Amino acid sequence: MADANVDALVQKVNQLVVLDSVEGVSSLRRGQTLELSAGHVEMLRPLADNLDLPGRLATALHSISGTQGRWHDRRDDARAGLTELVALCANRLEPDSSLPEPADAGARDRLATAVCRAYAASATPRLVAGLFPDGRPDDLGRFPPPQLEGDVAAARAMAVAIGARTASGEDQVLKRLVAAGHGAAAHEAAAMLLEARMDFARLPHGQRAGIHRQLTRSIEAGFAVRDVQRAAARELTEELENRREDVTGGAGAIDTASGIARDEVGKLHEFLQKIDYWEESMEPQPTPSLDEVRAIVARGLVSRVEHHARIQTDLPDSQVASPPAATAAAAETMVATSTIPFESRPAATAATATMLTEGFDELPTLVDDWRAGGSDVRREAEVYGGTLGDRTLAAVRGFELHPPNAQAAEPNRVFGTDPAIPPLGRVQAPTGQTRQADGAAASSRNKGSDGLIR
């Protein structure tokens, strides 16, 4: 793709998708772009050339011959091309390195593509405003209701079925499935189903990963067993019935997985009861001190930032567990691998470091809450360190879209006005997540796992 404006549009849309995913997962690296078809580039070029004033794309009279003309709305192509671009960017989001290998790679990729397209159908209209200066959701006109079919309809039905079991909205579920990264949708769907089960939460950590993998494979296989035939190739009299099968097939994969979770967790509880596991094997673990918690969080922060940036921070072992050293290194490393203008980088680094420092300042209150709630403090600290690492990337992606004023006396104030970056005090990592201190850490996105690298 040799079109600078379209290339810039791709990078901007990618940034919006990363920010919308909340988790701050990685996607296109600096200098990378997507390989788009010639037709897709043609659909996007008018939009890419008019990001400063989208009103130019409104309906206009185009001449067909010397005496005739017709009205043409270039926003139609812009909406369709942008939706496809959002799906492509979502499909490039990077999964955690600890994601288990698939039983069927084709089934995993098929589900990943469908989830990303379902996400794009719901997310693109709300992302439009971020494309333009002082943008509004209606800058590209009204998006027609998506006509989903085949795998995409099944993926949406999966999101609805998960939402019904977890008290979540469809958009929220799709966003979380996409944020888990390419190929991790079933793993994340299984985590959401298991999180909602108190009997699963009571299982020992070492007994959870097997059930999680079993549900993941069940969802991938259940989705892939459906007929891939598209509605356009069907007989007219069969179209309605096949659309119904798309929906029931996607929801059915979740129904089956939910049943497996109920049966397998119940059997495991019965087995552990028979061998008196609860009485003989459960030994209390010492609660870490506040200084130990700070060190755990610092290690998790550095590990997660190194994962996102794909470079090492070069912190010596003696400083990896130091919150001030980890905070400075994380901010500098993430900004150094960004597209933030060089003159704005010192301000962005200072603002990001301030955000992380405030995160460490929250620890005394968080530790008290974890202890009061009976949570595993060490485990929660590992999760929180990863969460800070994800927020570091999200903050830097925000600065790429809106570079801070290089002369600003207090650049950290941008966090008070940027809606893409929620106040850190509201960041609560769900119980049951885990992290490790090395680069192959289990992601905080892979909720419900035991943290063991498989």
Side-chain angles (χ1 to χ4, degrees):
M1 181 172 61
D3 190 306
N5 286 346
V6 173
D7 183 54
L9 174 64
V10 169
Q11 296 295 335
K12 193 160 192 176
V13 170
N14 179 68
Q15 290 171 333
L16 291 172
V17 170
V18 170
L19 286 173
D20 190 58
S21 72
V22 178
E23 299 284 351
V25 290
S26 303
S27 183
L28 294 176
R29 312 307 300 177
R30 187 176 183 184
Q32 292 181 335
T33 188
L34 293 173
E35 292 297 327
L36 304 182
S37 68
H40 197 184
V41 171
E42 286 303 312
M43 295 176 73
L44 292 173
R45 184 173 288 118
L47 173 61
D49 292 342
N50 292 280
L51 290 180
D52 59 329
L53 191 60
R56 297 192 193 103
L57 298 175
T59 304
L61 184 64
H62 285 248
S63 176
I64 296 177
S65 67
T67 59
Q68 295 179 335
R70 65 183 179 88
W71 292 100
H72 174 64
D73 190 347
R74 291 186 294 173
R75 294 176 300 181
D76 291 339
D77 281 351
R79 289 189 292 263
L82 183 61
T83 302
E84 177 68 10
L85 180 57
V86 168
L88 292 176
C89 289
N91 210 25
R92 290 290 296 267
L93 294 177
E94 179 182 304
D96 188 78
S97 57
S98 65
L99 179 68
E101 290 297 318
D104 183 338
R108 176 169 288 187
D109 286 341
R110 179 178 167 186
L111 175 58
T113 299
V115 166
C116 289
R117 291 188 180 280
Y119 162 80
S122 67
T124 306
R126 71 170 178 267
L127 298 180
V128 165
L131 286 176
F132 311 110
D134 301 319
R136 301 182 309 179
D138 61 350
D139 276 336
L140 287 183
R142 181 177 178 273
F143 279 75
Q147 299 298 315
L148 305 182
E149 63 175 10
D151 280 358
V152 185
R156 179 184 180 274
M158 281 181 54
V160 172
I162 294 170
R165 289 169 170 79
T166 60
S168 304
E170 170 196 341
D171 290 349
Q172 181 182 355
V173 173
L174 285 172
K175 184 185 292 189
R176 183 165 164 181
L177 297 184
V178 165
H182 176 83
H187 195 260
E188 188 68 13
M192 295 184 74
L193 294 176
L194 293 171
E195 285 172 7
R197 302 191 63 89
M198 293 301 297
D199 52 357
F200 180 79
R202 290 195 297 268
L203 288 176
H205 295 314
Q207 305 295 328
R208 299 178 184 179
I211 295 177
H212 195 169
R213 287 197 304 274
Q214 185 177 359
L215 260 63
T216 297
R217 291 170 180 169
S218 171
I219 293 171
E220 290 175 344
F223 187 89
V225 77
R226 297 174 42 265
D227 184 3
V228 76
Q229 185 182 24
R230 293 178 59 81
R234 299 168 180 158
E235 294 293 333
L236 182 61
T237 56
E238 298 176 348
E239 183 171 334
L240 184 61
E241 178 64 17
N242 282 310
R243 286 184 183 274
R244 185 189 66 80
E245 291 179 0
D246 291 335
V247 173
T248 56
I254 300 303
D255 291 340
T256 300
S258 183
I260 291 174
R262 180 185 63 250
D263 296 342
E264 294 301 317
V265 172
K267 291 176 183 177
L268 190 52
H269 270 282
E270 290 179 5
F271 173 74
L272 294 174
Q273 191 69 38
K274 286 180 180 178
I275 64 173
D276 295 328
Y277 176 90
W278 310 112
E279 289 75 15
E280 297 179 5
S281 301
M282 297 300 287
E283 298 180 358
Q285 297 295 320
T287 301
S289 67
L290 184 57
D291 285 342
E292 290 176 318
V293 169
R294 289 192 177 102
I296 293 169
V297 172
R299 291 191 189 96
L301 167 62
V302 171
S303 172
R304 194 65 186 152
V305 166
E306 289 177 340
H307 169 77
H308 284 314
R310 293 185 179 176
I311 62 173
Q312 300 297 310
T313 60
D314 294 328
L315 275 177
D317 291 342
S318 60
Q319 295 186 33
V320 169
S322 167
T327 293
E332 292 172 2
T333 300
M334 204 71 258
V335 170
T337 59
S338 72
T339 59
I340 299 172
F342 285 99
E343 64 273 13
S344 296
R345 290 189 177 188
T349 301
T352 304
T354 297
M355 179 194 69
L356 294 175
T357 299
E358 292 172 351
F360 279 97
D361 291 343
E362 294 283 337
L363 278 177
T365 301
L366 290 175
V367 170
D368 288 343
D369 290 343
W370 295 336
R371 287 171 176 164
S375 301
D376 183 334
V377 175
R378 187 177 300 275
R379 186 180 179 85
E380 295 291 351
E382 292 170 349
V383 172
Y384 188 67
T387 300
L388 287 184
D390 289 339
R391 293 292 168 178
T392 302
L393 179 58
V396 171
R397 290 292 182 261
F399 285 135
E400 287 180 330
L401 286 174
H402 307 289
N405 184 348
Q407 306 301 321
E410 296 183 70
N412 55 295
R413 284 187 175 177
V414 70
F415 292 105
T417 58
D418 191 340
I421 306 173
L424 194 59
R426 298 209 309 265
V427 178
Q428 295 293 333
T431 301
Q433 297 173 314
T434 185
R435 290 197 50 77
Q436 300 289 339
D438 59 20
S443 168
S444 61
R445 298 189 296 274
N446 295 334
K447 304 170 182 66
S449 70
D450 62 355
L452 297 179
I453 300 171
R454 304 283 178 177

